[in-house]
Amino acid sequence: MSTFQKILVMNKAGNDEARTLAGQVLRWLEGQGHAARVQENTPEGCSSHLEMPDPDLILILGGDGTLFSVVRSMGERMVPVVGINLGQVGFLTDLDKMSWQGPLAAILQGRFIPSRRTLLSFSVSRQGREIRSGRAVNDLVACRGTLARLIRLRVWYGQEPIGALRADGLIVSTPTGSTAYTVSAGGPLIHPELDVYTLTPICPFLSGFMPLVLPSSRPLRIMVDPGPAESYLTVDGQMGIPLRPGDEIRITTDSAQLTLLQPLEVSYFSKLKHKGFILED
């Protein structure tokens, strides 16, 4: 008896390879006795518009970016997720597009490792009024615009001021996102199931603001100080929100957690080795 009965297949929007694979996966699932439906992921999609009500599992066909988009759009009910990788890196989409049937069959029969991941919730306030809010899977980045001018930021952890910096930006990352922009900017690798977030400055100028790993029990506040540079808040590298001097970014852990279902043979350290983060002996 399968652990999952109702499966929603979400494929990358506008991608012929994903659309073709979605048809193949749909026929395979139905042949295995599952109720399944295909839906194309769109930027404006949200959980209230899922074409299958109350699925037990969402199968994502695309890269990590497609997974980010789907997870950001879910509401409080976070459906477990499995990904078939059609992207470049595929750190979160574990199944191979050429050999997905065996691993997927094992997962559907309950042979998997659930990996629960912390998400970030954010809001941007301007003159005391909230102008944007949302969720991030990988990271939130307060960064400069197109000109090579530094931005000025001040940071608080709970009620305690951490400090100020002039830099190209500041990355606030989940443990899941520590293997992305954060590590490229000199931040640490964090085990993805820890309940923390990291703060990593991007090219800080004359600043002793070092990368920090903090318990996620307190909120973060980031204030944009006056300066000549344009600045933005980017969400998972996919959305950009223009910022103005005086804007305040508030970041907390999201009330929901992402659950990734991973094949038994996949481990965090094997991924790090396979992707080149750790050298083999």
Side-chain angles (χ1 to χ4, degrees):
M1 182 67 178
S2 173
T3 303
F4 305 101
Q5 298 301 313
K6 297 169 63 178
I7 302 169
L8 180 62
V9 180
M10 298 197 74
N11 61 287
K12 182 177 180 179
N15 184 288
D16 290 338
E17 183 182 23
R19 192 175 295 116
T20 299
L21 182 58
Q24 296 171 359
V25 171
L26 178 65
R27 290 189 292 273
W28 184 87
L29 289 171
E30 290 176 339
Q32 301 291 314
H34 299 279
R37 188 157 187 172
V38 172
Q39 178 176 344
E40 187 168 275
N41 177 51
T42 56
E44 66 275 10
C46 63
S47 59
S48 61
H49 297 121
L50 292 182
E51 295 183 8
M52 171 180 280
D54 298 322
D56 302 317
L57 178 69
I58 294 181
L59 181 60
I60 296 172
L61 312 186
D64 289 347
T66 306
L67 186 145
F68 297 155
S69 175
V70 171
V71 173
R72 284 200 310 269
S73 70
M74 291 187 197
E76 289 300 308
R77 182 177 181 267
M78 295 292 291
V79 181
V81 167
V82 175
I84 297 179
N85 182 37
L86 303 178
Q88 299 298 314
V89 179
F91 213 91
L92 302 179
T93 47
D94 287 313
L95 306 191
D96 185 86
K97 63 183 178 181
M98 303 303 294
S99 57
W100 52 268
Q101 292 96 333
L104 181 57
I107 288 172
L108 295 179
Q109 292 166 8
R111 301 197 300 275
F112 58 80
I113 301 171
S115 181
R116 293 178 176 83
R117 309 292 183 89
T118 294
L119 306 173
L120 298 178
S121 180
F122 74 90
S123 64
V124 179
S125 296
R126 180 170 297 159
Q127 297 180 341
R129 181 175 63 87
E130 183 180 293
I131 60 169
R132 292 289 293 271
S133 63
R135 168 187 287 161
V137 183
N138 242 22
D139 51 39
L140 295 161
V141 184
C143 57
R144 65 174 176 83
T146 55
L147 296 179
R149 293 176 174 174
L150 302 179
I151 60 172
R152 302 169 183 263
L153 303 170
R154 284 181 289 154
V155 187
W156 288 261
Y157 179 55
Q159 299 300 314
E160 184 175 2
I162 294 178
L165 69 157
R166 295 174 64 205
D168 281 353
L170 179 67
I171 306 167
V172 180
S173 170
T174 64
T176 296
S178 72
T179 51
Y181 197 0
T182 290
V183 75
S184 298
L189 291 176
I190 305 293
H191 192 282
E193 294 177 13
L194 291 176
D195 193 10
V196 297
Y197 33 53
T198 63
L199 281 69
T200 305
I202 307 167
C203 298
F205 178 70
L206 296 178
S207 171
F209 198 113
M210 301 297 290
L212 292 170
V213 181
L214 299 173
S216 62
S217 53
R218 298 187 202 173
L220 288 171
R221 285 193 300 129
I222 302 171
M223 179 77 75
V224 182
D225 276 349
E230 294 180 334
S231 58
Y232 294 84
L233 178 68
T234 66
V235 184
D236 290 334
Q238 295 180 324
M239 298 168 50
I241 302 167
L243 299 172
R244 296 179 185 173
D247 283 359
E248 181 178 293
I249 306 161
R250 179 180 170 86
I251 301 171
T252 62
T253 53
D254 199 271
S255 57
Q257 283 189 319
L258 166 64
T259 300
L260 292 173
L261 305 186
Q262 300 177 323
L264 294 178
E265 64 273 14
V266 173
S267 75
Y268 173 61
F269 293 104
S270 69
K271 280 187 181 182
L272 291 181
K273 292 175 182 178
H274 180 66
K275 303 299 181 182
F277 290 98
I278 295 178
L279 295 179
E280 299 274 8
D281 292 335

